[in-house]
Amino acid sequence: MPQNIHLTFSKPLLTWFRQHGRHDLPWQQPRDAYRVWLSEIMLQQTQVQTVIPYFERFLQAFPNLRTLAQAPQDEVLHQWTGLGYYARARNLHKAAQILVEQHKAEFPQNHSSLLALPGIGPSTAAAILAQAFNLPNAILDGNVKRVLTRFYAISGWPGKKQIENQLWDISRKHTPNHNAADYTQAIMDLGATVCTRSKPHCKTCPLQTHCMADQQGNPGDYPTPKKRARLPVRKTTMLLLQNNKGEILLQQRPAPGIWGNLWSLPEMEQTDNAAEISRQRFACEIETSVELSAFRHTFSHFHLDIQPIHCIVSTHTQCVMDSGSQVWYKCDPADKRGLPGPVKKLLEATLEKNP
Ligand code: SF4
């Protein structure tokens, strides 16, 4: 590690940040704990440009902790539709309720209390403290890992405990006692705009003089990627049962597991018969059925190959009625329920062709 970290790292980084950092992101104005927390959760696994419109819509629907805590979970999931990793939304909602009930709708200003909230890990807790309260706390998100592994040429996958501990140690040493909010934003911005995943802009980087990866000429080798096993493939058939009012049958998925509590299409095995399944489960007779184009949706740990079948239900049968866990649905903007992204697209495309 260079002799004086402040001179080689935080000082040039902060100088660069004043001129080139991002100062107009929607969660920076004002930079309060609720907005910082929301942005940090949304930015896990998702790019800034994708997050911005979601952040703005979410904030309009739930402008503060109390409105979020009081909202029905369906409405929270509805605002999250398309952003993926829905456990984040469920945890956000639970955490808001705990903050209102146990912390008078205020964010605690210490790491361990923040860490005790659902969905908040060590780096998110530190980011809230640094960004919202200017308290010096080290963060270690994907951008920081990339900058530090390159600056010190640290080999080994950063998710490995030993490497992760080493990076936490370095990150703590680098975080200045003053100006924590700017420093934290500066290192995230450098990772996002200069020390980018591919083709980092080393010539314009304020850390270039002491960067070991740049001296070795191999920044692209850091961070070491995880050795990936091939993702398994699962298959499912989704039924788009449409009644004579143009509505499509949705079922609410169970809370645990993939797409927990979201509203999705009935599913069956590829070897099952759509007419029989519709009759047995939903008392619906099918008049016509058409196989739509199959597509793949990839989760973090498997691919899901989806074969949709569009079925027009006979007007002569009495199908299942709306209930707590199933509903006839028509993409009405007033109907606020959470849908998995691929199911939402499928519904919109089908209803556009078959209003
Ligand atoms: S010099 Fe290049 S590799 Fe090193 S921190 Fe800057 S952008 Fe990243």
Side-chain angles (χ1 to χ4, degrees):
M1 197 175 289
Q3 291 295 304
N4 191 330
I5 294 167
H6 176 62
L7 287 179
T8 56
F9 201 95
S10 48
K11 192 165 181 251
L13 183 59
L14 281 163
T15 307
W16 168 86
F17 174 69
R18 269 172 229 122
Q19 203 183 340
H20 302 286
R22 298 176 294 185
H23 301 275
D24 52 1
L25 294 168
W27 42 90
Q28 294 175 317
Q29 294 159 0
R31 198 156 60 174
D32 63 38
Y34 179 65
R35 295 159 75 97
V36 170
W37 170 57
L38 182 56
S39 68
E40 284 293 319
I41 302 295
M42 285 188 166
L43 287 165
Q44 291 164 5
Q45 334 267 2
T46 314
Q47 299 287 318
V48 168
Q49 290 315 317
T50 309
V51 162
I52 288 175
Y54 278 93
F55 177 85
E56 286 172 341
R57 279 198 299 271
F58 201 93
L59 210 63
Q60 238 173 14
F62 315 114
N64 52 47
L65 268 178
R66 285 191 194 278
T67 47
L68 177 57
Q70 284 160 6
Q73 191 192 59
D74 251 349
E75 212 173 312
V76 179
L77 291 170
H78 171 73
Q79 293 298 338
W80 208 269
T81 291
L83 205 50
Y85 299 95
Y86 293 85
R88 295 183 294 174
R90 289 191 294 272
N91 283 333
L92 203 69
H93 191 219
K94 262 187 259 162
Q97 291 170 336
I98 295 170
L99 286 165
V100 168
E101 281 161 22
Q102 298 176 16
H103 297 273
K104 299 181 182 156
E106 300 278 350
F107 280 82
Q109 293 187 30
N110 68 76
H111 200 260
S112 57
S113 302
L114 287 171
L115 207 51
L117 295 166
I120 296 192
S123 188
T124 304
I128 295 169
L129 293 171
Q131 300 267 295
F133 304 113
N134 205 19
L135 295 170
N137 277 267
I139 63 160
L140 193 62
D141 69 356
N143 284 322
V144 179
K145 285 177 186 169
R146 190 163 56 254
V147 173
L148 294 182
T149 52
R150 287 176 177 172
F151 189 77
Y152 291 108
I154 295 171
S155 299
W157 177 52
K160 211 170 137 196
K161 208 69 215 148
Q162 180 215 341
I163 306 291
E164 196 183 352
N165 288 343
Q166 186 184 358
L167 292 172
W168 269 116
D169 197 37
I170 296 172
S171 183
R172 274 189 284 270
K173 288 185 177 132
H174 279 241
T175 306
N177 286 329
H178 305 289
N179 237 348
D182 281 354
Y183 171 80
T184 307
Q185 189 64 49
I187 191 163
M188 289 195 286
D189 286 2
L190 189 84
T193 63
V194 176
C195 194
T196 44
R197 214 174 294 245
S198 60
K199 298 193 185 126
H201 311 283
C202 300
K203 286 198 175 107
T204 59
C205 177
L207 307 179
Q208 191 187 20
T209 316
H210 297 277
C211 174
M212 289 172 69
D214 182 62
Q215 284 161 20
Q216 293 173 6
N218 64 348
D221 291 352
Y222 304 96
T224 307
K226 185 183 183 184
K227 283 199 187 94
R228 282 207 175 269
R230 267 175 74 148
L231 292 183
V233 179
R234 297 186 198 166
K235 293 174 188 293
T236 189
T237 298
M238 290 188 171
L239 291 177
L240 291 127
L241 294 172
Q242 190 169 29
N243 66 17
N244 61 345
K245 293 186 208 153
E247 299 160 329
I248 290 176
L249 186 69
L250 295 184
Q251 294 184 304
Q252 189 169 32
R253 294 179 65 91
I258 294 294
W259 293 339
N261 277 351
L262 297 184
W263 292 82
S264 188
L265 294 161
E267 291 181 38
M268 63 177 205
E269 300 289 329
Q270 292 198 312
T271 48
D272 287 339
N273 178 291
E276 269 173 35
I277 293 287
S278 306
R279 193 176 307 127
Q280 283 165 11
R281 289 202 218 150
F282 311 112
C284 290
E285 291 294 336
I286 288 176
E287 256 174 29
T288 58
S289 70
V290 180
E291 278 198 0
L292 306 179
S293 306
F295 61 97
R296 173 169 285 187
H297 181 73
T298 298
F299 293 93
S300 55
H301 50 299
F302 68 95
H303 297 296
L304 184 63
D305 284 351
I306 299 171
Q307 172 61 66
I309 302 183
H310 178 226
C311 306
I312 298 290
V313 168
S314 163
T315 47
H316 302 298
T317 50
Q318 283 280 324
C319 292
V320 286
M321 306 295 283
D322 284 358
S323 70
S325 61
Q326 48 198 18
V327 68
W328 289 95
Y329 178 80
K330 208 176 176 183
C331 287
D332 179 353
D335 188 342
K336 292 182 177 161
R337 57 186 77 237
L339 307 168
V343 170
K344 184 173 182 237
K345 277 193 203 144
L346 204 47
L347 284 169
E348 285 169 352
T350 306
L351 287 168
E352 200 184 311
K353 281 192 192 150
N354 310 275

